[in-house]
Amino acid sequence: MNNLVEIRNLRVAFDGVPVLHGIDLDVAPGEALGLVGESGCGKSVTWLAALGLLPGKASVSGSVYLQGQDLTGAPRQALERVRGKRVAMIFQDPSSALNPVIRVGRQIIEALRLHRGLAGTAAKTEALRLMDLVGIPDARNRFNLYTHEFSGGQAQRLMIAMALAGEPDLLIADEPTTALDATIQAQILDLLITLRHEMSMATVFISHDLAAVAQVCERVCVMYAGKIVEEGPVAQLFDTPRHPYTQGLFDAIPSLSGPRRRLVPIPGTVPDPRHLPTGCAFEPRCARARTFCTQHRPELLPQPEGRQLACAYPVPVAQDAVQPEEEYQ
Amino acid sequence: MSPLLEARDLVRIYQTRRGLLGRPSNVRAVDGVSLKVRRGETLGVVGESGSGKSSLGRMLLGIDTAQGGAVYTNGKAMPVFGSPEWRSLRARIQMIYQDPLAALDRRISVAEQLREPLDIHRIGDSESRMARVHEVMLSVGLRLDQADKFPHELSGGQRQRVVIARALMTEPELLVCDEPVSALDVSIQAQVVNLLADLQHDRGLGMVFISHDLKVVRNLCDRVAVMYLGRIVEEGPADTIFSDPQHPYTQALVSSVPQPGRALKSRIILQGEPPNPGNRPPGCAFHPRCHKAEDICRHTVPETRSAGVECRAACHFAGHASLRELA
Ligand SMILES: Nc1ncnc2c1ncn2[C@@H]1O[C@H](COP(=O)(O)OP(=O)(O)OP(=O)(O)O)[C@@H](O)[C@H]1O
Ligand SMILES: Nc1ncnc2c1ncn2[C@@H]1O[C@H](COP(=O)(O)OP(=O)(O)OP(=O)(O)O)[C@@H](O)[C@H]1O
Ligand code: SF4
Ligand SMILES: [Mg+2]
Ligand SMILES: [Mg+2]
């Protein structure tokens, strides 16, 4: 077994309402994996559950292995050692992870002490190196500032510096650029890509922005209503999406070149977790659905070309665009 | 014929104070902005956070008063905020904000939210008001059984439809939309954008569409104004702005938009941080981050000049062949 992380049959329910319906997911060392899907489909909950960060009212089952070590049911102390040290998570909103009343330099030093046992000048030197690494200009003079004295993009960089303090094997970036300007988003995406290569650290990039994911990641998981519905290499999913939901997500992205066109929405909205359709959760919004779909929930199954897919009537692989659309069984 | 909306040299200054004891200083959030919107035309406004887009939007509606310059609708000067003339004008120009929950009253049903503007402006009797509510609901793709729902019982996209429906109740000629789809998933965003496009097309609505989503702006807007530190640095037809941007900031902005299938390397990554409006750099305000800046940019403010058909840009090198060679 040489996966860094293996998630098996992960299920989460809040107040008896299931929101994750059995997630199986692997992350290989050093790879960049994207997790996409509309708001509420369970992207964040998957990783919060895996790292034991959900509130007590959440009931979690299934298993999460980090290099063979089972994290589910691990004692709190063991989990705390893993978090930050071996797996670090950065969030959309830096203020949730940075302390407004402690100088930023101190916060990074504290993370270094906790995860790497560094202290004194060694810690300070390393903290400055990390601030440089994430591109904080003039780090030496800004070491003693508070977070509100940094811009949004810089606060995001500081959070990344904190996350790197433990030299993690896996960095989970949950919508790290959504709140930032386009030009600053581009800087942060660039930084994530560079860091990943320099530190040979695996990255899970959670986003609704399929285009950003396609640029950063090698492999993508598409989630819908608490399940993975399609998984595969970025280029494969992008060139020939097979799940109607994946195709819908790609089609909905307005283009920046070519003729201007009317946008292509996915009709309807994501289902309420309390009233999930009995069959395929996407069926009410799916143009390819048939009666079969209203009764049977499709399983995520491996396909010959390497991807995994959960759909009874997937989008045909167009061999030849002029051929009439073939029915798939 | 005079344009539906015209703004000339608008200025908006905020007084801010750093800390309790700090000396108050003036921030020119909008610094001499002129623009025109014709009937049936959509003008996109894009730019960095803090560049003054929302401040501009509020001045266009007369909600905030301009410290300099003037706004004209159909050739007439904007009446004073709160005056009876202003109120009757407000029926014809409406604003749509980003957050539908904040724009809606949580305690009343969809139908009541929609009827309210008619009540306020005393349009029609109760029967015709209800008929209008139903007509507008259908036109924005809401179902009539949703009339009795409360905002929290609707999805994000449906709520934003209610906000749009509310703005349409008084049959406005102009909509100012401030980030109307930013909080929505792409799949739902497309539904709302198409709705706005239909309204513009079918009713000849003029629209100012403020957004940081360049992909949406390109597909919806006829013309685009790009703002940087309170000024319009480039303006022109959407197709030209996106295919052949002249100002280096626009070039960086357009290239920073992630597009599947386009290599990261082809992007222009801006150096440096977003600017501080309280501390405007001398010369061209963009020069500290500009990948093409030369000496002149550091001390001389570039004038807005013509840069191709119906395009204008405020850069010393805009429209010059040399800039294109550099690109
Ligand atoms: N603390 C909580 N209590 C109750 N329900 C929760 C809680 N956290 C998440 N949920 C529910 O779990 C589901 C999955 O939420 P999750 O936050 O994982 O979505 P997401 O895919 O990350 O969405 P987004 O793109 O909006 O961040 C949603 O239906 C959400 O309402
Ligand atoms: N009420 C106010 N008092 C003081 N300063 C303000 C006020 N409103 C806005 N500003 C400042 O004016 C500048 C322009 O703000 P504005 O909200 O118009 O920008 P924006 O382009 O809409 O940004 P965003 O994309 O983040 O919405 C900013 O520097 C902002 O901090
Ligand atoms: S004027 Fe100079 S600094 Fe300003 S955008 Fe043009 S090249 Fe860049
Ligand atoms: Mg989330
Ligand atoms: Mg704004």
Side-chain angles (χ1 to χ4, degrees):
Chain A
M1 180 171 89
N2 37 26
N3 279 322
L4 181 62
V5 177
E6 292 193 353
I7 296 178
R8 289 292 171 269
N9 198 20
L10 186 66
R11 290 170 187 272
V12 174
F14 290 103
D15 307 312
V17 179
V19 298
L20 273 199
H21 305 266
I23 298 292
D24 292 319
L25 187 64
D26 296 338
V27 185
E31 85 163 324
L33 171 71
L35 211 53
V36 299
E38 285 162 290
S39 183
C41 65
K43 305 181 296 293
S44 301
V45 163
T46 299
W47 290 97
L48 294 173
L51 296 178
L53 287 170
L54 285 177
K57 68 167 177 174
S59 61
V60 181
S61 70
S63 50
V64 179
Y65 298 94
L66 180 66
Q67 284 175 331
Q69 178 196 0
D70 191 355
L71 297 184
T72 33
R76 244 193 50 214
Q77 275 182 326
L79 266 181
E80 269 163 18
R81 267 201 306 277
V82 166
R83 287 199 299 260
K85 170 79 187 120
R86 304 194 41 210
V87 182
M89 195 155 173
I90 53 177
F91 300 91
Q92 172 173 353
D93 175 14
S95 65
S96 60
L98 295 170
N99 189 325
V101 298
I102 302 179
R103 297 174 198 279
V104 296
R106 275 248 69 80
Q107 295 189 55
I108 301 177
I109 286 183
E110 178 54 25
L112 287 166
R113 187 192 61 76
L114 195 69
H115 301 307
R116 296 193 5 224
L118 292 182
T121 6
K124 172 141 192 194
T125 314
E126 178 64 5
L128 282 171
R129 191 188 70 86
L130 286 172
M131 285 172 76
D132 277 338
L133 184 68
V134 298
I136 300 284
D138 197 16
R140 191 161 289 277
N141 287 313
R142 306 181 76 183
F143 196 75
N144 285 325
L145 299 185
Y146 295 97
T147 41
H148 72 262
E149 295 171 274
F150 292 85
S151 71
Q154 287 175 335
Q156 193 57 272
R157 287 169 192 273
L158 288 168
M159 189 152 72
I160 296 173
M162 298 258 297
L164 298 178
E167 299 183 317
D169 300 317
L170 173 63
L171 179 69
I172 298 163
D174 192 352
E175 313 261 8
T177 60
T178 323
L180 304 173
D181 278 319
T183 59
I184 307 298
Q185 267 184 34
Q187 290 178 354
I188 299 287
L189 288 185
D190 220 43
L191 172 65
L192 286 175
I193 295 166
T194 319
L195 287 174
R196 186 187 139 229
H197 287 300
E198 276 177 15
M199 308 187 59
S200 57
M201 147 184 90
T203 309
V204 172
F205 183 64
I206 303 177
S207 176
H208 339 336
D209 188 345
L210 219 64
V213 166
Q215 283 193 324
V216 176
C217 302
E218 293 142 355
R219 194 159 68 86
V220 187
C221 281
V222 181
M223 289 187 70
Y224 189 74
K227 287 191 70 158
I228 293 174
V229 296
E230 186 163 9
E231 178 274 324
V234 166
Q236 202 176 70
L237 260 62
F238 179 63
D239 294 338
T240 56
R242 304 277 327 266
H243 199 289
Y245 181 59
T246 313
Q247 188 185 38
L249 285 179
F250 274 118
D251 287 349
I253 305 177
S255 64
L256 205 56
S257 52
R260 295 209 284 156
R261 62 167 176 113
R262 202 174 162 75
L263 306 189
V264 187
I266 302 177
T269 46
V270 288
D272 181 342
R274 284 167 301 184
H275 307 111
L276 272 195
T278 31
C280 170
F282 189 57
E283 179 273 324
R285 304 174 73 186
C286 183
R288 304 187 56 80
R290 305 195 201 165
T291 324
F292 180 84
C293 309
T294 61
Q295 286 134 24
H296 303 272
R297 195 163 288 186
E299 292 284 309
L300 185 67
L301 297 172
Q303 305 297 306
E305 73 277 24
R307 79 179 93 201
Q308 298 189 78
L309 182 63
C311 173
Y313 303 104
V315 181
V317 191
Q319 300 293 348
D320 188 345
V322 283
Q323 254 177 24
E325 192 177 284
E326 258 180 62
E327 290 299 336
Y328 242 70
Q329 287 311 319
Chain B
M1 198 164 67
S2 40
L4 179 55
L5 178 80
E6 180 170 5
R8 281 190 215 141
D9 281 323
L10 287 183
V11 175
R12 176 78 196 169
I13 300 166
Y14 295 110
Q15 249 194 16
T16 57
R17 213 183 265 275
R18 271 194 88 121
L20 272 178
L21 302 172
R23 258 196 292 137
S25 66
N26 286 339
V27 171
R28 293 177 82 86
V30 176
D31 195 9
V33 165
S34 302
L35 54 82
K36 279 184 193 155
V37 182
R38 289 181 282 259
R39 247 161 286 273
E41 179 182 63
T42 299
L43 172 71
V45 179
V46 301
E48 213 85 351
S49 175
S51 58
K53 305 182 294 295
S54 299
S55 303
L56 173 65
R58 288 195 302 270
M59 281 192 288
L60 293 178
L61 289 176
I63 298 170
D64 284 0
T65 345
Q67 273 100 345
V71 178
Y72 303 86
T73 47
N74 293 312
K76 288 205 221 43
M78 172 74 63
V80 179
F81 175 76
S83 65
E85 295 78 22
W86 181 78
R87 279 208 198 89
S88 71
L89 180 68
R90 267 313 298 272
R92 290 186 284 128
I93 54 179
Q94 293 280 349
M95 184 130 185
I96 294 174
Y97 296 95
Q98 169 169 0
D99 179 6
L101 266 188
L104 296 174
D105 187 334
R106 288 155 194 271
R107 298 157 307 177
I108 60 176
S109 70
V110 168
E112 286 169 275
Q113 315 257 6
L114 297 185
R115 217 190 50 219
E116 213 172 49
L118 299 182
D119 296 343
I120 293 172
H121 294 289
R122 303 214 180 92
I123 300 170
D125 55 21
S126 82
E127 214 168 292
S128 70
R129 285 177 195 171
M130 233 29 232
R132 174 95 186 125
V133 166
H134 289 159
E135 175 195 308
V136 175
M137 280 185 74
L138 292 174
S139 76
V140 301
L142 289 164
R143 294 192 314 267
L144 293 187
D145 63 89
Q146 289 165 328
D148 302 326
K149 293 256 192 297
F150 290 86
H152 65 267
E153 298 174 305
L154 300 174
S155 71
Q158 289 167 340
R159 274 182 217 137
Q160 198 54 289
R161 280 159 197 260
V162 175
V163 173
I164 293 170
R166 195 181 138 100
L168 293 177
M169 287 307 293
T170 56
E171 300 196 60
E173 305 167 80
L174 177 76
L175 281 184
V176 177
C177 307
D178 192 355
E179 307 275 5
V181 295
S182 308
L184 306 175
D185 278 310
V186 279
S187 48
I188 309 299
Q189 172 180 300
Q191 298 174 4
V192 176
V193 169
N194 285 347
L195 170 63
L196 289 172
D198 291 343
L199 290 170
Q200 179 210 357
H201 186 259
D202 300 345
R203 308 186 185 207
L205 264 181
M207 206 149 48
V208 176
F209 188 86
I210 300 171
S211 175
H212 64 255
D213 190 327
L214 278 87
K215 291 184 199 147
V216 169
V217 167
R218 188 192 92 102
N219 284 277
L220 180 70
C221 300
D222 304 302
R223 283 188 307 128
V224 178
V226 183
M227 287 188 73
Y228 194 82
L229 269 187
R231 294 187 187 158
I232 293 181
V233 294
E234 181 160 7
E235 202 227 297
D239 287 333
T240 323
I241 295 275
F242 287 100
S243 61
D244 188 20
Q246 294 296 308
H247 194 284
Y249 173 67
T250 317
Q251 292 171 348
L253 190 64
V254 170
S255 90
S256 70
V257 178
Q259 279 176 280
R262 191 179 66 181
L264 276 167
K265 288 187 203 73
S266 67
R267 295 176 320 175
I268 305 165
I269 301 272
L270 281 185
Q271 299 310 307
E273 287 304 312
N276 170 4
N279 187 11
R280 193 183 174 84
C284 171
F286 183 58
H287 86 254
R289 302 173 75 199
C290 183
H291 54 295
K292 285 170 185 160
E294 290 183 22
D295 251 0
I296 182 173
C297 310
R298 285 177 255 284
H299 45 73
T300 310
V301 178
E303 278 179 28
T304 304
R305 62 173 81 196
S306 160
V309 186
E310 287 188 64
C311 277
R312 55 189 175 118
C315 166
H316 290 300
F317 309 113
H320 284 202
S322 65
L323 190 80
R324 277 190 216 144
E325 274 158 32
L326 279 165

